[in-house]
């Protein structure tokens, strides 16, 4: 195999590995590149390697994506194989046969490989809306905010971070693993979300015991119930964050008004040094985004000297 071809295969395998473990949409996979390589190769070794990096990956074996996702992935892989090769690949059909008799669960796993190579694994709902909330799955803005945080670790190093609307917990867990905060406070208001969140913290080898951390590299981690509507200034002042972050919480006017209200309360708690605020969101409706900016600017007009939260769309 030529060096260029070997490098290309490594990149292709890494792309399949990362996307599959994180259960990213199948349309995001480099299928065209795979087709081209299958046409060039006379054997099925590349497909065997893809199986090892996906369905047979140790992380997948222990913490698999949903049964439906694996079934659809294998079916697409078989289609690509059959389009090029006339001889069936037993390993592919054996893997599909095994998943066809597996029972679907309401929970699944998504595993994200951090730059260090360490997997960050989350237990999530298989449904976008479950138990009356969308907070049991990871949304794209959380991925982008985590990526930005990893690229800017100094923002969080040795500081106390409060996350509003933590959901499944991806952003916070990535920051805890890669950015060395002094303390990290996950928060949400939904009881089922909080239950899953605590489980995901423990799943990633972080402790929720106040006295359990003696390692300077591990932050003090807390999961707190926080309802923006009813939280008082006195209750919020106990958090004492240096940084406040939130991802994908700008999805309707009512929530935006609640978010701005709670940020205003935090600002009044810390007149001398208000916490820095970073908000990441998916721009689904420009009017919703504009409402948030308008409300924040109104607050700033009433509190001169304070600054607009950093926004990432």
């Amino acid at each position: 195999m030529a060096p260029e071809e070997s490098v290309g295969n490594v990149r292709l395998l890494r792309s399949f590995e990362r996307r599959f473990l994180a259960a990213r949409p199948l349309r995001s996979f480099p299928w065209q590149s795979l087709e081209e390589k299958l046409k060039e190769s006379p054997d099925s070794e590349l497909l065997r390697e893809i199986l090892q990096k996906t369905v047979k990956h140790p992380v997948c074996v222990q913490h698999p994506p949903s049964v439906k996702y694996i079934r659809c992935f294998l079916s697409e892989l078989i289609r690509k194989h059959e389009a090029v090769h006339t001889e069936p690949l037993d390993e592919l059909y054996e893997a599909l046969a095994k998943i066809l008799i597996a029972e679907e669960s309401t929970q699944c796993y998504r595993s994200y490989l951090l730059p260090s190579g360490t997997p960050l694994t989350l237990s999530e709902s298989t449904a976008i809306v479950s138990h009356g909330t969308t907070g049991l799955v990871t949304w794209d803005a959380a991925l982008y905010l985590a990526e930005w945080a990893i690229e800017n670790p100094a923002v969080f190093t040795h500081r106390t971070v409060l996350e509003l609307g933590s959901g499944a917990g991806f952003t916070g867990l990535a920051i805890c693993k890669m950015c060395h905060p002094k303390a990290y406070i996950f928060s949400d208001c939904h009881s089922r979300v909080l239950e899953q969140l605590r489980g995901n913290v423990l799943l990633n080898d972080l402790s929720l015991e106040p006295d359990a951390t003696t390692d300077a590299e591990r932050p003090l981690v807390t999961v707190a119930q926080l309802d923006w509507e009813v939280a008082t200034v006195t209750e919020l002042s106990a958090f004492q964050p240096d940084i406040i972050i939130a991802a994908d919480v700008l999805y309707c006017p009512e929530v935006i008004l609640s978010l701005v209200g709670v940020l205003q309360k935090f600002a009044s708690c810390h007149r001398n040094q208000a916490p820095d605020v970073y908000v990441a969101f998916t721009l689904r409706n420009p009017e919703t985004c504009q409402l948030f900016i308008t409300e924040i600017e109104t607050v700033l007009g009433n509190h001169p000297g304070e600054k607009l939260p950093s926004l990432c769309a």
Side-chain angles (χ1 to χ4, degrees):
M1 183 182 295
E4 301 83 12
E5 184 179 353
S6 177
V7 171
N9 283 359
V10 169
R11 288 175 179 168
L12 185 67
L13 289 169
R14 185 181 298 122
S15 181
F16 267 84
E17 177 186 43
R18 289 182 174 276
R19 284 170 169 77
F20 177 83
L21 294 178
R24 301 299 289 162
L26 292 184
R27 64 180 179 274
S28 71
F29 283 66
W31 297 111
Q32 185 174 349
S33 296
L34 174 61
E35 288 178 357
E36 293 170 358
K37 289 195 172 293
L38 290 178
K39 290 175 183 177
E40 297 169 1
S41 175
D43 59 37
S44 302
E45 187 56 34
L46 179 58
L47 284 171
R48 291 190 180 93
E49 291 178 339
I50 287 176
L51 277 178
Q52 293 299 324
K53 290 290 187 180
T54 55
V55 178
K56 296 184 178 181
H57 195 293
V59 172
C60 176
V61 172
Q62 186 173 7
H63 300 299
S66 73
V67 169
K68 180 181 178 181
Y69 183 83
I70 299 174
R71 184 177 68 247
C72 291
F73 171 78
L74 286 171
S75 297
E76 185 63 24
L77 205 57
I78 287 172
R79 276 193 289 270
K80 300 303 180 188
H81 170 71
E82 291 179 341
V84 178
H85 294 272
T86 56
E87 290 297 321
L89 181 61
D90 289 345
E91 290 94 326
L92 273 176
Y93 294 97
E94 289 168 1
L96 181 60
K98 183 177 179 181
I99 204 67
L100 286 175
I101 61 173
E103 291 187 9
E104 185 68 83
S105 171
T106 57
Q107 289 291 116
C108 65
Y109 293 96
R110 293 175 185 260
S111 298
Y112 303 85
L113 297 181
L114 299 173
S116 62
T118 304
L120 191 165
T121 298
L122 300 176
S123 173
E124 297 189 3
S125 170
T126 55
I128 293 176
V129 180
S130 178
H131 296 273
T133 179
T134 59
L136 295 170
V137 297
T138 299
W139 296 87
D140 282 348
L143 304 180
Y144 290 118
L145 182 54
E147 182 179 349
W148 179 86
I150 291 170
E151 293 172 352
N152 298 272
V155 172
F156 304 95
T157 301
H158 306 312
R159 306 186 80 183
T160 297
V161 184
L162 169 65
E163 183 179 5
L164 302 176
S166 297
F170 176 77
T171 302
L173 290 168
I175 291 174
C176 288
K177 293 282 188 179
M178 300 298 296
C179 301
H180 309 294
K182 179 177 70 175
Y184 197 96
I185 306 160
F186 296 87
S187 74
D188 214 291
C189 66
H190 196 284
S191 60
R192 181 66 185 91
V193 173
L194 291 167
E195 179 186 346
Q196 179 181 270
L197 189 50
R198 293 186 186 97
N200 283 336
V201 169
L202 299 176
L203 182 62
N204 288 277
D205 299 321
L206 292 170
S207 175
L208 290 170
E209 297 298 326
D211 301 323
T213 176
T214 57
D215 185 352
E217 294 297 307
R218 288 174 174 261
L220 177 64
V221 177
T222 308
V223 174
Q225 184 166 21
L226 179 57
D227 187 330
W228 305 344
E229 287 284 349
V230 301
T232 65
V233 171
T234 302
E235 290 169 340
L236 297 177
S237 63
F239 290 114
Q240 298 185 329
D242 302 306
I243 304 283
I244 295 176
I245 67 171
D248 237 329
V249 294
L250 308 183
Y251 51 86
C252 72
E254 293 78 14
V255 172
I256 288 173
L257 295 177
S258 295
L259 174 63
V260 172
V262 81
L263 291 177
Q264 188 173 5
K265 291 175 185 176
F266 272 112
S268 65
C269 291
H270 306 85
R271 287 291 185 187
N272 296 329
Q273 182 62 51
D276 295 329
V277 180
Y278 298 89
V279 179
F281 59 96
T282 300
L283 188 56
R284 300 183 181 91
N285 184 343
E287 293 180 0
T288 305
C289 172
Q290 188 56 51
L291 173 62
F292 178 64
I293 294 174
T294 300
E295 290 295 322
I296 285 291
E297 288 176 341
T298 300
V299 171
L300 296 180
N302 296 329
H303 297 82
E306 294 175 5
K307 56 186 178 181
L308 189 72
S310 296
L311 304 178
C312 177

